[in-house]
Amino acid sequence: MRRRKFLEWAALSSFLGFSNKSWATSPSLGQEECKKWEKPLVISTWNHGMDANAAAWELLSKGGKALDAVEKGVMVTESDPTNRSVGIGGTPDRDGHVTLDACIMNEEGDCGSVAFLEDIENPIAVARMVMEKTPHVMLAGKGAQLFALQNGFERKDLLIPETKAAWEKWKKTSNYETPVNIENHDTIGMIALDQAGDFSGACTTSGLAYKMHGRVGDSPIIGASLFVDNEVGAACATGVGEMVIRIVGSHLIVELMRQGYSPEKACKKAIERIMAKHKSVEGQQVGFLAIDRKGRHGGYSIYNGFNYALRTPERNEMVETKYMKKW
Ligand code: GLY
């Protein structure tokens, strides 16, 4: 009986002209909806996403793969010394170390990540190498650094004079107490849909400013900061990583989209889940972004002020998300 149903579906798929492997598992998508896709498409967190999207667009607009686009896109932010929450120029932990977390995921469900990585400018490229050259998903600390150095990455001091001076100043008044969310902005999360109809995503950060030494946030955790399922879509996160990890936010959003929620509604549901599961979210920001198989995109945050950079064949702009609370 099951075999007959499968054969009927296969015949129908072929009649409708479905050729993409992932469409075969998405029978609710009709041909008309597929025609409406605005492809390629890339979105990324915060204003720094505009420059990152531009680099991703170089590849996407020429038919490049989403995986290459998201890697090259977020590398722009990692290498920007004026950005205080990603890569070089990132704010250090309370002991003066810049420690980086990053992860990447492709349309096949392959993924790689690095955590607590020091002295390497582009952790996202190391994460991709973990995915492609090792049997593992995550490398951390000294092991991740050794792997990077052995694979041609250069050692670089990521604590620049400006962030060193700010840290010295912070030490004088802080009593060594780590703040929870000093910036209200952090992390670049980027998700993309390429011309071939494949999703990929990347996420990279220097984490919370003046965090405890050894603290790792959501950004290297697949399912928390980032999740891609080519049958459904992709989601990514920014903000206080501890809250995102507790609800495995990005995976939750992809599963909600699988159940039929639009990207914005799925992101809103995840924010509601965070608020329901925490006694207080006072002063703590989290924002989510998502894209679904129809090419729809959206986001949601706890507080106002979260936005995302959008690039499509028609649009190149910042989009404000809806939110639960006002600062
Ligand atoms: N979302 C970045 C972090 O919490 O480290």
Side-chain angles (χ1 to χ4, degrees):
M1 183 60 193
R2 276 222 302 271
R3 184 176 148 76
R4 205 180 76 208
K5 281 261 177 262
F6 172 77
L7 290 174
E8 280 168 8
W9 163 239
L12 182 66
S13 301
S14 136
F15 171 71
L16 290 172
F18 290 178
S19 58
N20 186 313
K21 57 190 180 299
S22 54
W23 293 3
T25 51
S26 305
S28 61
L29 281 189
Q31 232 180 357
E32 279 312 303
E33 283 168 304
C34 296
K35 271 189 202 151
K36 282 187 226 147
W37 288 6
E38 213 187 348
K39 283 188 299 178
L41 162 67
V42 59
I43 62 176
S44 56
T45 55
W46 306 111
N47 293 333
H48 53 217
M50 288 297 282
D51 289 343
N53 280 6
W57 195 252
E58 281 285 308
L59 295 161
L60 288 172
S61 60
K62 293 179 187 136
K65 282 185 70 62
L67 179 67
D68 297 323
V70 296
E71 182 195 21
K72 292 292 172 290
V74 303
M75 278 171 69
V76 169
T77 323
E78 289 179 336
S79 296
D80 176 0
T82 66
N83 188 301
R84 293 285 167 266
S85 53
V86 183
I88 188 163
T91 302
D93 65 19
R94 65 183 184 178
D95 295 309
H97 300 267
V98 181
T99 69
L100 306 178
D101 300 332
C103 74
I104 194 160
M105 189 163 190
N106 72 8
E107 76 280 5
E108 303 283 353
D110 299 326
C111 45
S113 102
V114 288
F116 195 50
L117 175 62
E118 289 185 59
D119 299 332
I120 303 289
E121 183 170 325
N122 293 118
I124 198 67
V126 186
R128 180 168 178 174
M129 212 172 259
V130 171
M131 173 175 92
E132 291 178 343
K133 287 197 165 182
T134 81
H136 307 305
V137 167
M138 181 186 282
L139 291 179
K142 288 281 173 217
Q145 190 187 62
L146 186 63
F147 172 74
L149 295 173
Q150 284 171 343
N151 282 282
F153 289 83
E154 279 174 18
R155 190 190 285 273
K156 192 167 190 171
D157 189 357
L158 305 178
L159 188 66
I160 61 174
E162 293 89 327
T163 46
K164 188 162 189 263
W167 170 62
E168 302 280 6
K169 193 169 162 210
W170 172 83
K171 275 198 296 184
K172 286 189 187 136
T173 53
S174 65
N175 295 323
Y176 201 55
E177 280 165 18
T178 194
V180 180
N181 191 19
I182 198 169
E183 299 112 334
N184 177 32
H185 69 88
D186 75 336
T187 309
I188 181 155
M190 175 181 278
I191 46 182
L193 174 62
D194 63 25
Q195 284 180 24
D198 288 328
F199 289 96
S200 283
C203 185
T204 177
T205 192
S206 52
L208 296 181
Y210 311 129
K211 61 197 174 185
M212 290 174 69
H213 187 60
R215 180 267 188 187
V216 170
D218 60 318
S219 299
I221 315 272
I222 296 292
S225 75
L226 175 70
F227 199 70
V228 175
D229 185 325
N230 221 36
E231 293 174 6
V232 178
C236 65
T238 181
V240 180
E242 284 76 1
M243 293 177 141
V244 177
I245 293 170
R246 286 187 195 108
I247 65 149
V248 200
S250 295
H251 182 263
L252 172 64
I253 290 165
V254 170
E255 290 309 305
L256 287 166
M257 292 195 295
R258 193 192 306 276
Q259 290 168 27
Y261 285 89
S262 70
E264 185 185 291
K265 288 211 173 98
C267 292
K268 183 179 183 201
K269 279 279 197 199
I271 293 291
E272 284 170 353
R273 180 77 60 89
I274 285 180
M275 294 179 75
K277 295 286 179 190
H278 290 82
K279 284 193 189 81
S280 167
V281 295
E282 210 48 49
Q284 302 191 65
Q285 177 68 303
V286 170
F288 290 113
L289 298 182
I291 310 176
D292 73 5
R293 246 262 141 250
K294 295 178 186 172
R296 296 180 299 178
H297 49 87
Y300 220 90
S301 54
I302 298 179
Y303 281 97
N304 60 309
F306 177 46
N307 57 8
Y308 65 93
L310 164 69
R311 189 85 192 245
T312 74
E314 305 287 325
R315 298 168 70 183
N316 183 21
E317 63 202 31
M318 293 304 303
V319 180
E320 293 291 322
T321 65
K322 292 186 188 151
Y323 51 87
M324 293 290 181
K325 287 163 78 79
K326 267 197 164 250
W327 287 107

